[in-house]
Amino acid sequence: MKTPTRRLLIVLLLSWSLGPLLWQLYTSFSTNEALITPFANIDHRWTLNHYKDVLTGNPPFWRYLINSLIVGAGSTILTLCIATPAAYAITRSRGTITKVVQTMLIVAALFPYVLLFLALLEVARSLHLGNHLLALTIPYAALSQPLAILLLSAAFRDLPIDLEDAARLEGLGLWSRLRWVLIPLIAPATASTAILVFLFAWNEYPIALTWLSDSSLLTLPVAMARIAGSSIYSVPYGAYAAATVLGSIPLIALVLIFQKSIVSGLTSGAVKG
Amino acid sequence: MSLKLNNLGRRIDDRWILRHLDLEIQNGECLALVGASGCGKSTTLRIIAGLDQADEGSISIDGIDVTSTAAVDRKVGMVFQSYALFPHLSVAANLELGLKVRGVAPSERQQRVRQILQLVQLEERASQKPAQLSGGQRQRVALARALLRDPMVYLLDEPMSNLDAQLREELRPELRRLVLRDQKPVVYVTHDQHEAMAIADRIAVLRDGQIEQVANPIELYKHPASLYVAEFIGRPQINVLPPEQGVIKAIRPEALKLQAGGIACELLHREWLGASQIWQLKSHLGPLRMLVGSDQTVPESIQVSWAPEQEHRFNARSGKRLAA
């Protein structure tokens, strides 16, 4: 492909994915007048009021951010703690049972979880898990298991078997092998899995909506829905955009932090000369 | 004090990929396991290491039965064909990991790693990652790791097959010296008969999971126990004549001599080796390979023969050697 064509394509792709984001950014800093009459000549076009409103609301917006961070981090940790050993076991064991388990995992990964949500609500009610922030990590981690196990077991399978054999001959028991050799080597896959799980927990709406009712415990999506629906007469575009921007910042930061470990090629040079 | 394999067998489903394997390797002895791919040589090595389980027979090291000992506890030093260095760790950390897990104190660990790096001449590479090393250097790190294990047995699985020919030749004596330094049994797996001849004290030729012959390199070359061994060992390959009354005769290419009144041949191709040359000949007995000095000119008519004592004779059906 010629360079100018490629450049054009890149510009189009970037505007496709970044356009809505920039629009939200623009909206969040615009006064209500500017939003309603975009081409009129207005004195006060820019404002920080939407942010001020959102951050000084009751409860303040950062409360929801922290709630979502707690739920997201908790779900991610819980998911990885269960999925990593499971993925290792699936990769190393053979036989029909393993094949059945793998097939079931794929089916479970494809299953629309919303269909489970009424049943989950019953479970939450009978176990008194309602209005506990960390209780949300239980369904989130459970729902993330299939995908996480599939991704991590693919990573384990990609590791040259010689590496684990070498570790075994060096006298490394199962735990040492995982701790010093295998888990460090699948770090890129773990990072991408972690991001996917975190994103799911960050965005999840129906379960969070039904399990939490205490307004100081809400997660971001629920809180934002409340902002958007706070008045039946008008949609507070500015405040909503400000909330969106604030809600995206942690995600962007997360990807930037993990970017380094997502880069592939960590295992290059392990095998062959 | 030795490594002893007793009637070792390994089965995959109903097929035996290794059967009736008996071998004894003395301390300070290097035994090469050779054979075509799939003959069971790597399987044998993995069974000795404990990475694979035997379905039959037993293994003992220094008289202690280790057949059911887990690989983690077996104390073998293995060099993998792929080297299997941990890619995320530096050279020094690669070497130190085993010591750390086995509970060696930090100060002693560092000292031993330093010593071993000196021995394999890689001190200045200590902090580099395996990916930054050349093939030969990686191989030396892998060897150093095996040496640090203080093993009862050394197992080398095609340790040089990823190196170029010149480097292989250079490293061979070095490898032999290092691995025999602490006088332990060494099992060296290779598909390269030349490498086996060059490095081993004894060679075991495996075929379809069974031992065809075990002998020192000269014996193997001069008195192959079967046609298979005769064809496997020695390059250029031995000439095999068509069977006659249930007997197959085979003659080494260097045993063929130009002689008037011999078998009339036609020269198809000439290959220069440097000090010698190979003539690819066509005769009524089929194609023949002849090794001659590089000064030898091609005569008008080529007639070859050989001394009767240079003939190897094998049973045409079993392939076994017939008494002279």
Side-chain angles (χ1 to χ4, degrees):
Chain A
M1 204 184 291
K2 280 189 197 143
T3 325
T5 334
R6 186 185 293 180
R7 281 206 186 125
L8 186 70
L9 205 71
I10 291 172
V11 169
L12 283 175
L13 277 171
L14 277 179
S15 33
W16 170 269
S17 51
L18 289 181
L21 218 82
L22 293 174
W23 195 331
Q24 287 290 53
L25 204 62
Y26 161 78
T27 309
S28 71
F29 286 111
S30 300
T31 55
N32 286 333
E33 295 85 50
L35 286 173
I36 296 159
T37 50
F39 303 109
N41 195 1
I42 308 167
D43 297 339
H44 304 288
R45 185 160 278 282
W46 304 108
T47 180
L48 285 172
N49 277 342
H50 299 312
Y51 285 93
K52 210 194 270 168
D53 289 349
V54 164
L55 287 171
T56 55
N58 184 31
F61 191 75
W62 55 263
R63 181 77 248 172
Y64 307 132
L65 270 177
I66 290 172
N67 289 346
S68 271
L69 275 174
I70 292 170
V71 173
S75 311
T76 310
I77 292 167
L78 190 59
T79 304
L80 292 178
C81 284
I82 300 169
T84 308
Y88 175 78
I90 282 178
T91 342
R92 288 295 176 264
S93 55
R94 305 195 191 292
T96 14
I97 294 177
T98 314
K99 277 192 189 135
V100 171
V101 168
Q102 267 172 323
T103 319
M104 277 162 54
L105 277 173
I106 294 170
V107 172
L110 296 172
F111 192 81
Y113 83 94
V114 180
L115 298 183
L116 294 174
F117 123 88
L118 275 179
L120 280 173
L121 190 60
E122 284 305 312
V123 173
R125 198 171 285 152
S126 57
L127 295 177
H128 305 290
L129 293 173
N131 277 329
H132 287 288
L133 210 44
L134 279 175
L136 273 185
T137 63
I138 298 168
Y140 289 179
L143 290 168
S144 305
Q145 282 311 312
L147 185 65
I149 293 174
L150 289 176
L151 285 173
L152 294 175
S153 60
F156 277 125
R157 206 168 295 123
D158 280 349
L159 292 180
I161 190 78
D162 277 359
L163 285 180
E164 194 178 358
D165 283 343
R168 205 176 263 144
L169 294 182
E170 279 288 281
L172 276 73
L174 178 62
W175 168 243
S176 299
R177 289 202 295 280
L178 283 168
R179 163 74 183 82
W180 298 107
V181 180
L182 300 172
I183 290 176
L185 284 177
I186 62 155
T190 310
S192 18
T193 309
I195 284 187
L196 288 176
V197 176
F198 191 88
L199 268 176
F200 168 73
W202 192 262
N203 291 330
E204 203 285 330
Y205 184 68
I207 298 177
L209 178 70
T210 49
W211 283 39
L212 302 171
S213 54
D214 187 337
S215 65
S216 69
L217 289 177
L218 298 184
T219 57
L220 269 177
V222 184
M224 280 165 64
R226 282 205 184 174
I227 292 173
S230 55
S231 159
I232 50 166
Y233 300 109
S234 69
V235 178
Y237 289 110
Y240 191 66
T244 315
V245 170
L246 289 174
S248 319
I249 289 171
L251 286 189
I252 293 168
L254 196 75
V255 172
L256 289 178
I257 293 165
F258 273 94
Q259 198 183 26
K260 217 175 161 185
S261 55
I262 296 172
V263 290
S264 59
L266 192 67
T267 52
S268 71
V271 161
K272 278 208 127 178
Chain B
M1 302 300 247
S2 61
L3 168 69
K4 218 169 159 179
L5 311 180
N6 208 340
N7 191 32
L8 220 54
R10 171 88 175 115
R11 197 175 47 193
I12 290 179
D13 300 325
D14 284 341
R15 207 169 60 83
W16 288 93
I17 54 167
L18 205 68
R19 196 90 204 255
H20 306 312
L21 197 85
D22 288 300
L23 271 178
E24 188 167 355
I25 301 125
Q26 301 300 322
N27 278 345
E29 183 189 30
C30 176
L31 177 113
L33 275 178
V34 297
S37 57
C39 71
K41 54 192 194 299
S42 286
T43 307
T44 310
L45 211 62
R46 291 179 64 83
I47 292 175
I48 300 173
L51 298 172
D52 225 336
Q53 287 303 309
D55 293 305
E56 193 178 82
S58 63
I59 306 162
S60 65
I61 300 175
D62 284 356
I64 299 160
D65 190 309
V66 297
T67 318
S68 50
T69 308
V72 178
D73 307 314
R74 214 174 267 201
K75 285 197 86 174
V76 300
M78 183 150 167
V79 177
F80 291 80
Q81 181 176 11
S82 61
Y83 312 134
L85 299 176
F86 308 125
H88 59 301
L89 300 176
S90 70
V91 168
N94 257 284
L95 298 176
E96 212 183 326
L97 180 59
L99 295 174
K100 181 158 78 182
V101 170
R102 299 196 294 273
V104 179
S107 57
E108 195 193 330
R109 283 195 317 243
Q110 277 158 18
Q111 198 197 339
R112 290 187 59 187
V113 167
R114 231 188 348 262
Q115 278 173 355
I116 210 85
L117 281 173
Q118 226 162 17
L119 189 71
V120 297
Q121 294 164 13
L122 284 173
E123 299 116 296
E124 70 285 3
R125 304 282 179 177
S127 55
Q128 291 185 339
K129 295 274 172 67
Q132 293 167 278
L133 304 180
S134 71
Q137 288 167 338
R138 283 180 212 174
Q139 199 247 23
R140 264 142 62 202
V141 178
L143 181 63
R145 186 171 66 183
L147 290 167
L148 272 181
R149 179 76 173 99
D150 276 330
M152 316 275 274
V153 179
Y154 284 99
L155 305 173
L156 294 92
D157 188 6
E158 308 248 11
M160 303 219 261
S161 63
N162 287 329
L163 304 177
D164 63 59
Q166 197 197 332
L167 196 57
R168 260 204 298 256
E169 211 159 293
E170 276 172 34
L171 283 178
R172 226 182 270 136
E174 181 72 4
L175 181 64
R176 193 180 144 85
R177 183 179 70 83
L178 286 171
V179 88
L180 287 175
R181 206 171 59 112
D182 45 359
Q183 293 291 303
K184 292 284 156 56
V186 177
V187 184
Y188 190 108
V189 161
T190 177
H191 65 274
D192 181 351
Q193 55 90 28
H194 176 69
E195 193 169 296
M197 300 273 273
I199 209 162
D201 299 305
R202 275 193 306 151
I203 299 174
V205 182
L206 274 165
R207 181 195 187 186
D208 298 335
Q210 303 215 1
I211 289 183
E212 197 84 356
Q213 187 178 8
V214 192
N216 65 46
I218 311 288
E219 174 72 14
L220 215 55
Y221 189 78
K222 293 212 161 149
H223 303 284
S226 69
L227 186 60
Y228 182 83
V229 175
E231 288 188 279
F232 194 85
I233 302 287
R235 291 291 178 275
Q237 216 180 14
I238 200 163
N239 295 300
V240 180
L241 306 184
E244 242 175 74
Q245 288 154 8
V247 174
I248 291 178
K249 292 178 184 174
I251 303 103
R252 294 276 176 206
E254 67 273 20
L256 292 183
K257 298 284 177 248
L258 286 169
Q259 196 174 43
I263 298 160
C265 297
E266 187 189 322
L267 182 64
L268 294 178
H269 182 67
R270 228 172 150 186
E271 225 172 87
W272 295 94
L273 296 179
S276 55
Q277 49 178 322
I278 302 171
W279 288 0
Q280 307 277 4
L281 304 172
K282 196 174 121 185
S283 75
H284 75 276
L285 293 170
L288 292 174
R289 281 170 296 271
M290 182 174 176
L291 193 69
V292 291
S294 54
D295 303 333
Q296 180 67 54
T297 51
V298 183
E300 281 284 309
S301 80
I302 305 173
Q303 291 176 334
V304 301
S305 84
W306 57 86
E309 67 269 19
Q310 300 277 20
E311 257 175 29
H312 300 275
R313 292 152 51 83
F314 303 97
N315 183 315
R317 279 184 56 204
S318 67
K320 294 278 174 260
R321 185 182 188 85
L322 296 170

